[in-house]
């Protein structure tokens, strides 16, 4: 599972907490902080993947060979 998938799972957990009578403001805040950290990791992962794919496509266009 990649960071994007993990972040989506944690967002769903946070959403379910909104409707739980047992969820305190503190627990919601902690879960939202966890989601923010995972979203940051996912953003970095997406950016790295974009750069790698972009480089491969540019090299392929310049050389005419599949990278």
């Amino acid at each position: 599972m990649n960071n994007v998938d993990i972040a989506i799972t944690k967002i769903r957990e946070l959403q379910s907490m909104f409707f739980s009578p047992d969820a305190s403001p503190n627990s919601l805040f902690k879960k939202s902080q966890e989601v923010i950290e995972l979203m940051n990791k996912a953003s970095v992962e997406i950016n790295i993947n974009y750069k790698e794919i972009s480089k491969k496509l540019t090299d392929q266009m310049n050389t005419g060979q599949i990278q």
Side-chain angles (χ1 to χ4, degrees), residues 5-54:
D5 294 330
I6 294 168
I8 289 170
T9 300
K10 294 298 178 180
I11 289 171
R12 289 183 179 140
E13 289 175 11
L14 177 62
Q15 287 174 330
S16 69
M17 289 176 70
F18 291 144
F19 302 103
S20 172
D22 299 327
S24 68
N26 192 37
S27 66
L28 289 170
F29 179 77
K30 285 181 182 178
K31 181 62 78 172
S32 68
Q33 289 298 106
E34 185 181 343
V35 168
I36 289 168
E37 288 177 29
L38 288 167
M39 293 298 289
N40 284 332
K41 288 180 183 178
S43 176
V44 169
E45 184 177 303
I46 290 167
N47 193 27
I48 289 169
N49 289 342
Y50 169 79
K51 287 179 181 179
E52 288 176 1
I53 291 168
S54 179

